[in-house]
Amino acid sequence: MSDRQGVFRGWSAARRAGLSGLRFTSLRLRLVVVFGLVALTAAVSASGIAYWLNREAVLTRAQDAALDDFEREMQRHAGTLPVHPTEQQLAYAARQMGDGGQRFSVLLIAEGANDRTVQGSSGKSALDDFTLEDVPVSLRKAVAKEQEITANNKHEYHLYWQRVIVEDTPYLVGGAKVIGGGPTGYMLKSLEPEAKDLNSLAWSLGIATGLALIGSALLAQAAATTVLKPVQRLGVAARRLGEGKLDTRLRVSGTDELADLSRTFNRAAESLEKTVADMSAREEASRRFVADMSHELRTPLTAITAVTEVLEEELDAETGSVDPMIEPAVRLVVSETRRLNNLVENLMEVTRFDAGTARLVLDDVDIADQITACIDARAWLDAVELDAERGRMARLDPRRLDVILANLIGNALKHGGSPVRVSVRDESDALVIEVQDNGPGIPEDVLPHVFDRFYKASASRPRSDGSGLGLSIALENAHIHGGDISAANSPKGGAVFTFRLPRDASPLIAEERSTGTEASDE
C-alpha cells in the first residue's frame, strides 16, 4: 500500500512539475510558441509560394497545349469549309476538332445561305451542350473585333481565351476566327484533372507544413530544455542559498553566457559564505565577550552589593554612624550598584537568548495568583489595579512569566504613571494579559522601536534609570513560550501592552527535544 501511495505521489509531483513548466507565463512555453510561430510562418509562406508557382505552371501548360491544338484544328478543319457552310458541315467539322488529342468541346458559327447564321457543336462538353451563351460576352467581343494591320500586327483576328468556373469546376474557354474568311470557333476544355492535381499538391503542402510545425515544436522543446535546465539549476541553488545553505555551488561546464552566470553565482555564494562566516565569528566573539564580562562582573558586584546593603541598613537605622555630608553619595552608590546589578543580570539573560540556551521550566500556574505575587513582591499593590479571575490555569515557566510581568508593569509605572490596570481574558486556546498605564501614550514614531534593545525615547519621555533591555527581554520570554507582545495606544489615553500566551507550552518543549534528537542523529 505504501509503495502504491509513493508511486501516486511521484506521479502527482511529476504532473505538477510538468504543468508548472507549461504554465502560460513560463519561458519554456513562450520559446515553444515563438519557435512554432516562426516555423509556421516560414512553412506557410514556402507552401503558398510553391503552390502558386506550381498552379500557374500546371494551368499554363494545360492551357497552352489546349489552345495550340485548337488553333491547329481550326486551320485544318474549319479553314477548309465552304464560304457558306451548312449546320451539318459545321457539326461534322466541330466533332473532328473535338476528337483531337486535347478532347475539348467545339462550337463553330458561320454565315450560311440567305445570310442566315448557322452553328454546329461537337456535343461532348461536360455541360449538356456547348452553346454561345456559355461563352463570356467579353470574349465574344474580343474574338469578333477586327484588328488594324500594322508592322507588328499581321493578322486582323487573334486567338483569345478566358478561365471560368462552372459549378465549382474550372474551365478554359477560347475563341478564334479563321484568317482570310471563315467560321468563328470556340472551344471549352475542363481543367478538373489539373484542379485535382493542385488539390493533391495543396494537401501535400499542408501535411508538410504540419510536420514542420511539429518538428519545430520538438526542436523548440529540446532547445528550451538545453537553455532552461541551467536556469532551473540556478533557481534551485538560489533557493538553497536563501535557506541558509551557504555551501551551495553550481557545476560549471562550457564557455557560454550561462556558464559565466554559473561562475558569477559561485563567486557570489563564496563571498557571501565568507562574509556570513566572518559576521558570525564576530557576533560569537561579541556574545562571548558580553557573557564573560557579565560573569566576571558578578563576583565583584556580589561583594559591592553586600557592602551597599550594609550601608543602606545603617542609613535606614539612623544611628548616626554615617556622616550626613556623605549620606547622598552613599545613597547614590547604593542606587547605582542596584542598577548595575540589574544590568548585568539582563545582559546575561540576553546572551542566553542569543546563544539559544534559554530553556523553559514548566509548572501549572494560576495566572491571577502569579500576577498578584509579582505586584506584591515589588510593592506595587497601591499603584496597580488587577482585573483577573482566579482559576485561569496555564502550564508555563513561572520565573519567565514573572520577568515579563515585572518588565511590562514596571515600564508602565515608570513611563505612563499610575494607576496601571492589568486585565486577563480568554481568547480561544490562549490567554491575553493587557497592561494599560495612565500616561500620555507612546509617540507614533517610537511604537515600532519599543522592543528594540537599548532603545530609549528620551526626547518624548522622562529619562529612565533602566538599561533599555527590559521590554526586549520580555518579548524574548514571550516568544520562548510561543506567545507575543504588542504595543499600542488606547483610544482612552495611555499605552497598552498586550501579551498573548498559550495555555500550555509543553508542545514547544517536545518539539525542541525532537529537533535536538534529529540534530544529534545527523
Side-chain angles (χ1 to χ4, degrees), residues 149-166:
I149 302 298
T150 62
N152 297 324
N153 182 33
K154 299 181 179 180
H155 304 285
E156 63 271 22
Y157 296 102
H158 295 276
L159 174 65
Y160 295 94
W161 59 270
Q162 186 173 342
R163 294 175 193 163
V164 295
I165 303 295
V166 179

Side-chain angles (χ1 to χ4, degrees), residues 230-243 248 250 265:
V231 177
Q232 291 173 347
R233 287 200 297 264
L234 181 62
V236 172
R239 283 193 295 272
R240 289 173 57 85
L241 198 65
E243 293 170 355
T248 302
L250 288 172
F265 175 85

Side-chain angles (χ1 to χ4, degrees), residues 77-78 80-95 107-114 116-121 182-184:
H77 299 287
T80 60
L81 292 173
V83 177
H84 299 287
T86 63
E87 289 185 358
Q88 291 76 10
Q89 292 174 329
L90 290 176
Y92 178 76
R95 284 193 296 272
L107 175 64
L108 295 177
I109 301 174
E111 185 178 343
N114 302 323
R116 186 172 62 89
T117 301
V118 294
Q119 59 182 357
S121 173
T184 300

Side-chain angles (χ1 to χ4, degrees), residues 174-454:
K177 192 176 181 65
V178 175
I179 299 174
T184 300
Y186 296 99
M187 56 86 66
L188 178 67
K189 177 175 175 57
S190 174
L191 298 178
E192 186 175 3
E194 287 76 11
K196 290 181 179 179
D197 292 341
L198 291 175
N199 288 334
S200 299
L201 176 63
W203 275 104
S204 300
L205 292 175
I207 294 173
T209 301
L211 294 176
L213 183 60
I214 295 173
S216 67
L218 296 177
L219 290 176
Q221 177 70 12
T225 301
T226 304
V227 173
L228 295 180
K229 187 173 291 184
V231 177
Q232 291 173 347
R233 287 200 297 264
L234 181 62
V236 172
R239 283 193 295 272
R240 289 173 57 85
L241 198 65
E243 293 170 355
K245 301 175 183 177
L246 302 180
D247 58 342
T248 302
R249 298 293 184 273
L250 288 172
R251 181 172 56 85
V252 181
S253 60
T255 58
D256 56 5
E257 291 80 359
L258 293 174
D260 291 339
L261 180 60
S262 299
R263 294 189 187 94
T264 302
F265 175 85
N266 289 340
R267 288 194 294 269
E270 184 177 356
S271 176
L272 179 62
E273 183 180 19
K274 184 177 182 301
T275 302
V276 171
D278 293 342
M279 292 178 63
S280 299
R282 286 196 293 269
E283 183 181 357
E284 180 63 27
S286 300
R287 189 185 302 118
R288 190 181 303 112
F289 170 76
V290 173
D292 294 343
M293 181 189 69
S294 301
H295 282 287
E296 292 297 329
L297 287 174
R298 291 189 72 179
T299 302
L301 270 177
T302 302
I304 295 173
T305 302
V307 173
T308 56
E309 287 177 354
V310 173
L311 292 175
E312 190 176 15
E313 290 176 0
E314 290 293 330
L315 289 175
D316 294 338
E318 297 181 357
T319 58
S321 59
V322 179
D323 189 344
M325 296 294 294
I326 65 172
E327 180 178 345
V330 173
R331 292 192 180 277
L332 179 62
V333 169
V334 172
S335 175
E336 293 300 320
T337 300
R338 186 177 293 112
R339 182 183 175 201
L340 181 59
N341 194 34
N342 291 334
L343 176 60
V344 171
E345 291 295 332
N346 287 340
L347 286 174
M348 292 185 66
E349 187 74 6
V350 166
T351 56
R352 293 190 192 99
F353 284 118
D354 290 344
T357 58
R359 296 291 182 267
L360 292 175
V361 180
L362 301 182
D363 195 4
D364 293 326
V365 175
D366 188 311
I367 299 298
D369 290 344
Q370 184 71 25
I371 297 175
T372 302
C374 174
I375 296 172
D376 188 29
R378 293 161 180 82
W380 291 339
L381 287 175
D382 296 336
V384 178
E385 298 176 355
L386 178 60
D387 180 14
E389 296 180 2
R390 299 189 182 278
R392 284 192 174 97
M393 303 300 294
R395 185 164 182 78
L396 41 78
D397 190 328
R399 185 186 70 83
R400 296 189 182 279
L401 178 60
D402 183 76
V403 171
I404 297 172
L405 294 172
N407 278 300
L408 293 180
I409 298 174
N411 180 78
L413 290 172
K414 289 178 183 178
H415 300 292
S418 59
V420 172
R421 180 178 176 83
V422 180
S423 60
V424 182
R425 70 174 189 271
D426 294 312
E427 188 176 282
S428 64
D429 293 334
L431 289 174
V432 179
I433 301 175
E434 287 187 352
V435 179
Q436 181 175 357
D437 60 38
N438 197 31
I442 305 174
E444 294 297 329
D445 59 333
V446 176
L447 272 175
H449 306 287
V450 292
F451 295 104
D452 294 350
R453 294 178 182 179
F454 302 106

Side-chain angles (χ1 to χ4, degrees), residues 451-485:
F451 295 104
D452 294 350
R453 294 178 182 179
F454 302 106
Y455 183 82
K456 294 182 181 181
S458 57
S460 57
R461 289 196 174 190
R463 183 186 181 276
S464 172
D465 293 333
S467 62
L469 291 172
L471 291 179
S472 175
I473 292 175
L475 182 62
E476 293 290 349
N477 279 298
H479 287 167
I480 201 174
H481 277 92
D484 194 15
I485 304 176

Side-chain angles (χ1 to χ4, degrees), residues 15-30 32 221 224 232:
R15 182 173 176 267
R16 287 195 300 270
L19 291 177
S20 63
L22 290 178
R23 62 184 184 276
F24 183 74
T25 57
S26 68
L27 183 58
R28 181 186 300 275
L29 181 58
R30 281 183 283 174
V32 172
Q221 177 70 12
Q232 291 173 347

